[in-house]
């Protein structure tokens, strides 16, 4: 990398950090402001934030690796996420918004009881350490590939940066910087794809240069049963993950919650085509990658194709976009600890004390996530960790709770038994049976992880329906939900405060986009190649930033 690329990364990082820190006041008023953005976030901001949080978890490294090796399969895997997003938008997102709770843990307490909530809280916090570590590792991998810095040093530095701006700004810091990253990366892909095609001699050379079977819809261990099971996993992971549920509960209405899911789904129909082209093109440019080296295919193509300075801008966008998932998970983990553990132990805590605990716990969870990220190479690499973690824990942990949104019959026993038995069975087949010479392949592992929880919950639902049982806790929860709904309807001053916060967020976002567009224009002005693409995009972004600065809700 050139010196200008490093300067660009530092400038972009400064823009993002200043943007996040700008919400120290908006995100530090009270618990709802810090963890649910005051219930004030416009649906399109949360939709883009959900997309960036989900999309960036491993797109550049995990799915980029699969795109380089297997080609079209990576698109098929990601299109299951689009279908999941649309279904969540129609059915699950509005149900979450209707609960009027800050966190999933709070919902579990009201719907199933405090004891169940504690068990799920401990399970979530334990599993989220691995999830957060798997989000941090790809960021560090990208930086390491681009700069030749030590991978472990990159993990430590990037972990520290992410912890700082989430601890200060809360959910507002996360969602607004997500939108900034979405805009920058959308512009970036428009730049890198045509330049990458130019490196291999054009589109025709790409189609003739890829290996046989590169455009098959399934390949190797990624079979049709795997694709179907992975799609079901995505449905309940997207609809039940505690970090993503925040995006549905922090908007004003059920209709807005639906739009969050719909926007996610539409973006995931289009984006995989664009995002997976660079690593697929790199297969033609350099077909010699093997082992874990294919994890860096995306950025290697960028290094080969982009002019000096632009690589730093794109890498900066990738760093903070991929860190988005880490930041969202840190925010919700801190929320669960503060709202559902610390507040339970110290019910008379002031708002000031709770916000202090929230920020300190964010730092604590961030440090633990860094430790996990450092261990990922010894766990078989990021692809193995991400897919196996999803298969083992995703549906057992989130699906039973999502089911209770639609059922008045499910009980503490049915929900807990399903989660604990399924986690136990999956763990046995992952860690115990291989010691005796029997192990599941990727498809079998995913199918088991998805099917068993669904079968168990369906059994309980049919049994309760036949016996005519209705859980009394359901009526208690409905009474609390309706009471909260009435309080919201009778609080017009809260809407005024929300509009002020939204206007402030748009101005901050606009200033950040203007700053980024000026940086792009400077890079375009001094670039020897790609001016005809870079400069027009910089002008478009400048106009967008100015418009947001003047826009009012």
């Amino acid at each position: 990398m050139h010196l200008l690329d490093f300067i660009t990364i530092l400038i972009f990082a400064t823009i993002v950090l200043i943007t996040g820190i700008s919400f120290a006041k908006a995100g530090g008023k009270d618990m709802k402001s810090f963890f649910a953005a005051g219930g004030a976030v416009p649906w399109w901001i949360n939709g883009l934030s959900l997309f960036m949080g989900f999309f960036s978890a491993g797109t550049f490294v995990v799915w980029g690796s699969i795109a380089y090796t297997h080609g079209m399969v990576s698109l098929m895997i990601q299109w299951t996420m689009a279908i999941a997003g649309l279904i969540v938008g129609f059915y699950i997102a509005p149900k979450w918004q209707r609960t009027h709770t800050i966190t999933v843990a709070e919902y579990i307490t009201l719907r199933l009881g405090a004891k169940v909530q504690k068990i799920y809280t401990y399970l979530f916090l334990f599993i989220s350490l691995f999830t957060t570590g798997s989000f941090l590792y790809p960021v560090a991998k990208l930086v390491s590939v681009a700069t030749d810095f030590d991978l472990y040093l990159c993990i430590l530095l990037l972990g520290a940066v992410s912890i700082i701006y989430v601890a200060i700004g809360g959910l507002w810091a996360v969602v607004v910087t997500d939108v900034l990253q979405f805009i920058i990366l959308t512009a970036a892909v428009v730049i890198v794809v045509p330049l990458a095609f130019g490196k291999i001699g054009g589109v025709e050379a790409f189609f003739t240069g890829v290996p046989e079977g590169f455009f098959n819809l399934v390949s190797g261990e990624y079979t049709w049963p795997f694709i179907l099971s992975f799609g079901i996993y995505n449905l309940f992971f997207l609809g039940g993950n505690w970090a993503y549920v925040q995006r549905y509960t922090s908007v004003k209405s059920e209709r807005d919650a639906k739009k969050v899911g719909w926007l996610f789904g539409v973006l995931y129909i289009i984006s995989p085509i664009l995002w997976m082209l660079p690593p697929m093109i790199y297969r033609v440019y350099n077909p010699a990658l093997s082992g874990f080296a294919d994890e860096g295919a995306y950025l290697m193509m960028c290094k080969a194709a982009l002019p000096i300075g632009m690589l730093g801008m794109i890498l900066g966008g990738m760093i903070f976009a991929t860190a988005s998932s880490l930041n969202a998970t840190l925010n919700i983990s801190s929320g669960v600890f503060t709202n559902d553990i610390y507040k339970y132990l110290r019910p008379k805590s002031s708002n000031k004390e709770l916000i202090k605990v929230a920020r300190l716990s964010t730092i604590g969870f961030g440090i633990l996530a860094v430790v996990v990220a450092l261990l990922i190479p010894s766990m078989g690499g990021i692809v193995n960790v991400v897919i196996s973690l999803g298969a083992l824990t995703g549906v057992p942990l989130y699906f039973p709770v999502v089911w209770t949104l639609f059922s008045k019959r499910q009980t503490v026993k049915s929900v807990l038994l399903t989660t604990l038995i399924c986690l136990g069975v999956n763990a046995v087949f992952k860690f115990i049976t291989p010691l005796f010479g029997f192990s599941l392949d990727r498809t079998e592992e995913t199918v088991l992880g998805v099917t068993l929880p669904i079968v168990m919950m369906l059994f309980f639902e049919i049994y309760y329906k036949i016996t005519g049982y209705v859980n009394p806790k359901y009526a208690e929860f409905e009474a609390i939900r309706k009471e909260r709904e009435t309080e919201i309807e009778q609080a017009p001053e809260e809407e005024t405060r929300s509009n002020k916060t939204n206007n402030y967020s748009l101005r901050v976002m606009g200033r950040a986009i203007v700053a980024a567009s000026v940086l792009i224009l400077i890079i375009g002005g001094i670039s020897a190649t790609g001016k005809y693409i870079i400069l027009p995009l910089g002008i478009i972004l400048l106009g967008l930033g100015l418009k947001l600065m003047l826009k009012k809700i």
Side-chain angles (χ1 to χ4, degrees):
M1 280 179 61
H2 193 274
L3 176 62
L4 182 59
D5 291 307
F6 285 104
I7 294 173
T8 304
I9 292 173
L10 288 175
I11 293 173
F12 187 80
T14 302
I15 293 171
V16 173
L17 284 172
I18 290 174
T19 302
I21 292 170
S22 297
F23 289 95
K25 184 177 180 181
K29 293 177 180 178
D30 51 37
M31 293 288 288
K32 190 175 183 183
S33 295
F34 194 86
F35 295 119
V41 187
W43 67 267
W44 60 272
I45 290 183
N46 262 2
L48 293 177
S49 177
L50 178 64
F51 172 76
M52 291 305 296
F54 200 86
F55 157 86
S56 58
T59 299
F60 301 116
V61 177
V62 178
W63 310 131
S65 170
I66 295 174
Y68 176 88
T69 304
H70 297 282
M72 188 70 182
V73 173
S74 64
L75 300 182
M76 291 299 299
I77 292 173
Q78 291 178 82
W79 279 331
T80 68
M81 303 171 191
I83 296 171
L86 294 173
I87 295 174
V88 166
F90 277 107
Y91 301 108
I92 300 177
K95 285 285 189 179
W96 277 119
Q97 201 281 335
R98 199 165 183 257
T99 65
H100 302 299
T101 53
I102 295 178
T103 66
V104 177
E106 182 185 2
Y107 165 77
I108 294 173
T109 301
L110 297 175
R111 178 67 176 81
L112 297 169
K115 292 182 179 179
V116 181
Q117 175 261 322
K118 285 183 181 179
I119 295 173
Y120 270 100
T121 295
Y122 297 141
L123 284 173
F124 171 79
L125 291 178
F126 176 72
I127 293 171
S128 69
L129 293 178
F130 294 91
T131 305
T132 313
S134 70
F135 291 154
L136 178 58
Y137 177 86
V139 196
K141 182 73 175 186
L142 291 171
V143 177
S144 179
V145 169
T147 63
D148 295 325
F149 289 169
D150 180 74
L151 175 61
Y152 298 110
L153 175 63
C154 293
I155 290 172
L156 293 171
L157 292 176
L158 291 167
V161 170
S162 296
I163 290 166
I164 289 170
Y165 91 80
V166 180
I168 292 175
L171 185 59
W172 267 120
V174 175
V175 296
V176 171
T177 51
D178 278 347
V179 176
L180 171 64
Q181 293 149 19
F182 170 79
I183 292 170
I184 295 300
L185 287 174
T186 300
V189 76
V190 175
I191 296 170
V192 71
V193 169
L195 295 179
F197 274 126
K199 277 291 181 178
I200 62 171
V203 176
E204 185 177 347
F206 170 67
F207 283 102
T208 58
V210 296
E212 185 178 353
F214 202 65
F215 295 108
N216 289 348
L217 300 183
V218 294
S219 175
E221 59 188 346
Y222 304 105
T223 62
W224 282 115
F226 170 83
I227 297 291
L228 177 61
S229 299
F230 195 70
I232 297 172
Y233 154 75
N234 278 316
L235 173 61
F236 297 115
F237 185 69
L238 183 65
N241 181 283
W242 294 18
Y244 302 143
V245 168
Q246 276 186 305
R247 304 304 187 270
Y248 316 133
T249 60
S250 60
V251 294
K252 292 180 181 179
S253 66
E254 293 179 44
R255 179 69 177 175
D256 281 356
K258 287 184 177 183
K259 291 177 182 178
V260 171
W262 293 340
L263 179 57
F264 174 93
V266 170
L267 289 173
Y268 245 112
I269 292 172
I270 302 167
S271 63
I273 301 171
L274 298 174
W275 296 121
M276 291 301 99
L277 275 172
M280 292 170 74
I281 295 170
Y282 196 72
R283 180 64 184 267
V284 177
Y285 186 80
N286 177 16
L289 297 184
S290 60
F292 292 161
D294 60 6
E295 293 179 353
Y298 195 108
L299 204 64
M300 291 176 189
M301 188 70 258
C302 291
K303 287 178 70 175
L306 291 171
I308 292 173
M310 203 61 223
L311 175 61
M313 171 63 76
I314 290 180
L315 181 59
M318 288 180 179
I319 289 169
F320 283 95
T322 312
S324 168
S325 296
L326 165 64
N327 299 332
T329 306
L330 282 180
N331 181 261
I332 191 61
S333 297
S334 172
V336 169
F337 177 82
T338 306
N339 198 51
D340 303 299
I341 296 180
Y342 186 84
K343 191 177 178 181
Y344 177 81
L345 296 174
R346 294 177 62 90
K348 295 183 179 180
S349 301
S350 65
N351 272 328
K352 184 177 180 180
E353 180 181 351
L354 292 173
I355 292 298
K356 181 178 180 181
V357 170
R359 287 174 172 153
L360 290 174
S361 61
T362 298
I363 294 171
F365 285 115
I367 292 171
L368 292 173
V370 167
V371 173
V372 172
L374 292 170
L375 296 174
I376 282 179
S378 64
M379 298 179 189
I382 189 63
V383 175
N384 181 63
V385 170
V386 168
I387 294 180
S388 291
L389 185 64
L392 286 170
T393 67
V395 180
L397 185 61
Y398 303 121
F399 172 66
V401 176
V402 170
W403 189 299
T404 66
L405 293 170
F406 299 88
S407 172
K408 58 186 178 181
R409 305 180 189 279
Q410 296 295 336
T411 65
V412 171
K413 182 185 294 185
S414 64
V415 171
L416 271 183
L417 279 178
T418 299
T419 293
L420 297 177
I421 289 175
C422 292
L423 286 175
V425 169
N426 291 341
V428 166
F429 280 105
K430 182 65 179 179
F431 302 110
I432 305 300
T433 60
L435 300 176
F436 300 95
F438 178 78
S439 60
L440 302 178
D441 61 26
R442 182 147 292 165
T443 296
E444 293 167 341
E445 180 181 75
T446 308
V447 170
L448 174 65
V450 165
T451 305
L452 185 58
I454 294 175
V455 170
M456 289 189 65
M457 289 299 290
L458 188 60
F459 167 80
F460 282 118
E461 187 71 25
I462 293 172
Y463 172 76
Y464 290 138
K465 188 170 184 178
I466 291 174
T467 59
Y469 178 79
V470 175
N471 190 345
K473 289 288 291 182
Y474 176 78
E476 294 175 19
F477 168 73
E478 276 295 293
I480 295 172
R481 185 192 65 76
K482 290 177 181 178
E483 182 180 339
R484 291 186 177 186
E485 197 169 70
T486 302
E487 291 173 356
I488 292 171
E489 292 172 354
Q490 295 175 351
E493 68 280 358
E494 182 67 26
E495 184 170 348
T496 300
R497 172 182 160 184
S498 296
N499 287 339
K500 288 181 180 178
T501 307
N502 284 333
N503 288 330
Y504 174 74
S505 71
L506 291 177
R507 289 195 298 272
V508 172
M509 194 188 308
R511 289 196 293 267
I513 294 171
V514 167
S517 67
V518 170
L519 184 59
I520 291 174
L521 288 171
I522 292 172
I523 293 170
I526 63 177
S527 295
T529 59
K531 288 179 183 288
Y532 64 94
I533 301 175
I534 299 173
L535 290 176
L537 280 173
I539 293 170
I540 292 171
L541 289 179
L542 179 61
L544 176 61
L546 292 172
K547 183 177 180 180
L548 287 175
M549 287 175 65
L550 299 174
K551 184 178 176 64
K552 287 187 177 182
I553 294 177

